[in-house]
Structures are given as C-alpha cells and as structure tokens.
Amino acid sequence: MNIFIAGLTYQITEPDLRELFEQYGTVTSAKIITDNFTGRSRGFGFVEMDDDAEGQRAIEQLNEAQYDGRTISVDVAKPRKERASSNRF
C-alpha cells in the first residue's frame, strides 16, 4: 500500500517518517518530497507498506493526528497523473 502524508514539518527526515509508521507495521520505504532547486522538504511524503491491513490501520490512526506540532493528513496515495509536456523554451 502506498500512503500519502501531507502537512509535515520542513525539518522531518525520512528516518523520522519511517519510525512514525513502523508503529503500525513493516515499512518498505519512506520518502520525503523535496524541492528540486533548494533541496528543502515540500511538506509531504510517501510511505509504502506491504501489508494493506497495517497500512489501513496507520491511515486510520494517523490521519488528522498531531505530529511535531502540526496536524497531518494521511490517505491512500492516488496514482500520479501524467502531465502534459511544456515547451517553454
């Protein structure tokens, strides 16, 4: 199960995110999305869990929970939509 997490602090690390979700089961990957130019967190990330029941339990427990002083939103990640190519140059 691929899980989307929004509302994260800009200081969170991938090990922090992994640790948060490991309370609910085995995490196969944790990824913080960063800005391409600054390398700074964009405030959201993804966690993958092999067991759907564990993933669903994590979503139910963590959605709208307080983490590091912020309310996070947690949900099943939706498939990425293809973007139209841009010919700006």
Side-chain angles (χ1 to χ4, degrees):
M1 172 179 280
N2 195 12
I3 302 169
F4 173 75
I5 307 96
L8 297 169
T9 66
Y10 297 121
Q11 293 76 29
I12 193 169
T13 64
E14 289 176 358
D16 293 337
L17 190 59
R18 175 180 290 273
E19 184 178 316
L20 176 64
F21 277 81
E22 282 179 336
Q23 299 174 61
Y24 302 96
T26 304
V27 173
T28 54
S29 72
K31 177 79 174 146
I32 301 294
I33 305 305
T34 57
D35 182 87
N36 290 338
F37 298 107
T38 65
R40 183 176 167 211
S41 167
R42 294 184 59 199
F44 66 95
F46 296 90
V47 168
E48 288 185 24
M49 299 179 81
D50 281 338
D51 187 308
D52 287 351
E54 291 174 351
Q56 189 59 46
R57 189 171 74 233
I59 290 169
E60 290 169 3
Q61 294 295 313
L62 294 173
N63 188 42
E64 301 300 320
Q66 290 289 315
Y67 181 75
D68 206 16
R70 298 189 64 173
T71 302
I72 59 173
S73 297
V74 182
D75 203 353
V76 174
K78 297 182 179 32
R80 186 174 179 172
K81 294 181 181 178
E82 290 295 320
R83 291 184 181 179
S85 63
S86 170
N87 293 328
R88 293 183 194 173
F89 300 102

